[in-house]
Amino acid sequence: NRIKTEENLCNFSNAIIVSSKNDKKTISKEYSINSNKIHIIPCGVNPYFFKPKKNSKKILGLQKNTKYFLSVGRIDPVKGLDLLIHSLSFLKLINPKFQFHAFHIGGVVKRKNKKCTLKGLNPKDFESTSQKEEVKRILNLSKKLNVHNNFSFIGSIPHNELSYWYSAVDLMAIPSRYETFCLVALEAASCGLPSIAYKVGGMSESIKENYTGILIPEGNTSDFALALNRLAIDTNLSEKLGAFGRKRAQIYNWEKTAKSEIKVWETLIL
């Protein structure tokens, strides 16, 4: 099984590279691995590629009088989209006049449906059975909680278009139940977009709490909604977090990541 295979690989390897302190702690504890052979090298981001794009909201066809939230990732229960739907429902309850919409980017869609549409995709538009089932579950929940018109699946988009989305929306919403290292939070930060996420896995290493975003206790959907409401209303705070995030993201560049990995290899072959 997977656990046994991972344990064998860890014991066989001369060096193990992980992306976060949390990963190192987990591997060392679960597989009884000497922590000295586990090296932490965070993922990187290209700050010249992921940077604020002018007129992005207009380019994507988004409305000026609506606040937009974005989540990015594969279609999988671990990504916590059901938690996000519950938060959107609570947000609607505490601020009934608030105009907002949440988009989710990700998932493998059928070839004929690959063109991005703001109207939203349905379960039949996705390729695999597991994706169809998860999309159906989330959309049914959104109808049940009366936020069906506030949430859309838009499928996958070309990687070079992501920076336009990060620049156009108002907040990054990351409701994941677990993340080893959240690269999308770093990409968003590089574009000046603050994130709201649950404090799980290595999330606290991708997002510096109250500096580049807000971290919420795991599964607390009402606090998540309150954070969305707070940053959507307090644009000064949101912009401040976005500016700090862009500055911090410069540290996590791929050149630095590559140099760190080279150093690990040098200890093995020299």
Side-chain angles (χ1 to χ4, degrees), residues 187-242:
E187 292 175 346
S190 189
C191 293
L193 181 67
S195 296
I196 297 171
Y198 289 116
K199 196 172 185 177
V200 296
M203 196 67 78
S204 60
E205 293 172 60
S206 303
I207 300 170
K208 190 170 182 181
E209 192 167 7
N210 298 322
Y211 186 79
T212 67
I214 296 177
L215 293 176
I216 306 297
E218 183 178 356
N220 193 326
T221 55
S222 57
D223 276 4
F224 199 102
L226 289 170
L228 288 173
N229 188 60
R230 178 189 175 193
L231 288 190
I233 293 173
D234 192 344
T235 54
N236 287 332
L237 176 58
S238 180
E239 289 174 2
K240 184 178 179 180
L241 294 176

Side-chain angles (χ1 to χ4, degrees), residues 61-73:
L62 303 185
Q63 302 297 315
K64 291 183 179 180
N65 62 343
T66 300
K67 293 290 185 177
Y68 292 98
F69 312 136
L70 180 67
S71 61
V72 178

Side-chain angles (χ1 to χ4, degrees), residues 107-239:
V108 182
V109 298
K110 294 179 179 178
R111 184 170 297 276
K112 64 178 181 179
N113 296 318
K114 282 195 173 182
K115 187 176 180 180
C116 174
T117 171
L118 298 182
K119 294 180 180 179
L121 300 176
N122 296 307
K124 62 180 178 60
D125 297 315
F126 290 84
E127 193 70 49
S128 68
T129 300
S130 61
Q131 288 183 108
K132 290 176 182 177
E133 291 175 350
E134 179 65 1
V135 170
K136 182 179 179 180
R137 182 176 77 92
I138 298 303
L139 291 180
N140 284 342
L141 181 63
S142 70
K143 290 176 183 177
K144 181 180 177 180
L145 298 180
N146 195 33
V147 289
H148 183 62
N149 293 324
N150 303 95
F151 178 83
S152 302
F153 285 101
I154 60 174
S156 57
I157 65 169
H159 199 248
N160 64 334
E161 293 180 13
L162 266 177
S163 56
Y164 285 93
W165 282 91
Y166 292 140
S167 301
V169 301
D170 299 280
L171 293 170
M172 189 74 185
I174 309 173
S176 299
R177 289 181 165 87
Y178 186 79
E179 292 284 350
T180 52
F181 182 91
C182 190
L183 183 58
V184 296
L186 203 58
E187 292 175 346
S190 189
C191 293
L193 181 67
S195 296
I196 297 171
Y198 289 116
K199 196 172 185 177
V200 296
M203 196 67 78
S204 60
E205 293 172 60
S206 303
I207 300 170
K208 190 170 182 181
E209 192 167 7
N210 298 322
Y211 186 79
T212 67
I214 296 177
L215 293 176
I216 306 297
E218 183 178 356
N220 193 326
T221 55
S222 57
D223 276 4
F224 199 102
L226 289 170
L228 288 173
N229 188 60
R230 178 189 175 193
L231 288 190
I233 293 173
D234 192 344
T235 54
N236 287 332
L237 176 58
S238 180
E239 289 174 2

Side-chain angles (χ1 to χ4, degrees), residues 41-58:
I41 302 178
C43 295
V45 65
N46 185 340
Y48 302 103
F49 184 82
F50 286 102
K51 60 183 179 181
K53 302 290 186 181
K54 294 181 180 179
N55 302 316
S56 54
K57 194 180 287 283
K58 182 178 180 180

